[in-house]
Amino acid sequence: MNKKVKWGIIIFIGAGLIGWGIYSQLPKENQELAAADKVMSGNRNTKKALNVNAKIIKPQLLKDEIKISGSLLPDEEVDLSFETSGKIIEINFEEGSLVKKGQLLAKVNDRPLQAQLQRLVAQLKLAEDRVFRQNALLERDAVSKEAYEQVKTELATLNADIDLIEANIAQTELRAPFDGVIGLRQVSVGTYASPSTIVAKLTKVSPLKVEFSVPERYANDVKIGAGVDFGLEGKLETFHAKVYARESRMDQNTHTLTLRALYPNANGSVMPGRYADIRLSKNEIHDALAVPSEAIVPEMGKDKIFLYKSGKAQPVEIQAGIRTEAETQVLQGLQAGDTIIISGTLQLRTGLAVTLDNIY
């Protein structure tokens, strides 16, 4: 190979390398960016409708309720104990059973008192005969009136002593003060009891008291005779009571007013001591126009709702009334039959095209 050919090959290769270097530095089109620009350009040219749910407004019954917690109290309840001290010799009740007013439940030893009573009763006949004889003698002026008055006083004293012993004997008997359910006994036969010894608890479970407190702003809304609905954990049914009493003053610490309602509990199926979820009805509005609370859009201190009109969203300002847990009353701005948009409200704008998925 001669020198000319060799230098020609070298020059050719060098020119090729220089050309490749220049080409690699030239700007090239980014295919991914171009594709993205094409999609965005297409989106700008196409207005997509927003899918929403709507509701047709109809007049309905709207209840203004207060939801609070309360507790169930027995109508009457007492810790049973003796009025005197002594050894328990009888227990005449079964735990958890129903007892009647006046029923003998337990008794302490009264033998010394019974002996005293027998001695006094034995003296009673003689004292009555003495008064009878002295009265007969007094009528014939055979005895002084002073002597008659003395035997008469002795008889009255004897009767008083008998009454005292009988009262002491009555204190050895524990009787039910009212009808109710007696709880678990805390003593046994042979226990030495004193007035501080609790024998058992007696509870009157029919009716029951429902006690609850309302904030002071609602204090004047709850009147005597007002109905109260309440629920209990584990029970599906709703129970109904009626307010019968109010506390005489507001609690200065909690600024609440305590009230009590009465629930009949005729069959005794509801136990006292349970918590109650209370729904207190303040007012009932018939033919109210109400909307779901999520449909309301607050803006600049005003409330507005979007109506569905001819496939587009149109805002309307409303005046809200009472608010419940899920709904709000509309006083002005809506009419019966209007279709309101209840979903996607944060994305809505005036005149935005919308498509209805569900109508309620």
Side-chain angles (χ1 to χ4, degrees), residues 61-126:
L61 173 64
L62 187 64
K63 293 184 178 182
D64 187 11
E65 295 180 331
I66 308 171
K67 291 192 175 183
I68 48 180
S69 296
S71 57
L72 300 182
L73 305 177
D75 186 43
E76 302 287 352
E77 188 173 64
V78 64
D79 288 328
L80 298 171
S81 60
F82 289 98
E83 295 182 69
T84 188
S85 299
K87 182 184 292 185
I88 298 177
I89 59 174
E90 293 181 19
I91 294 179
N92 303 318
F93 65 87
E94 293 184 4
E95 297 168 293
S97 63
L98 289 169
V99 297
K100 295 293 184 180
K101 181 179 180 179
Q103 179 178 334
L104 180 62
L105 303 177
K107 187 173 178 62
V108 298
N109 183 25
D110 66 347
R111 291 183 63 183
L113 293 174
Q114 291 289 354
Q116 293 180 39
L117 179 62
Q118 290 178 7
R119 179 173 61 82
L120 294 175
V121 170
Q123 298 174 5
L124 184 62
K125 178 64 176 172
L126 179 60

Side-chain angles (χ1 to χ4, degrees), residues 296-308:
I296 299 178
V297 180
E299 186 177 276
M300 303 291 291
K302 299 180 180 180
D303 293 329
K304 68 178 182 179
I305 286 179
F306 282 92
L307 300 179
Y308 175 80

Side-chain angles (χ1 to χ4, degrees), residues 190-230:
T191 301
Y192 187 85
S194 68
S196 62
T197 303
I198 304 301
V199 177
K201 187 184 295 291
L202 180 63
T203 304
K204 186 177 181 181
V205 298
S206 179
L208 289 181
K209 298 172 182 176
V210 185
E211 184 174 282
F212 58 95
S213 298
V214 297
E216 60 180 339
R217 65 179 178 273
Y218 298 127
N220 293 328
D221 295 329
V222 186
K223 308 295 184 182
I224 300 298
V228 175
D229 295 336
F230 66 94

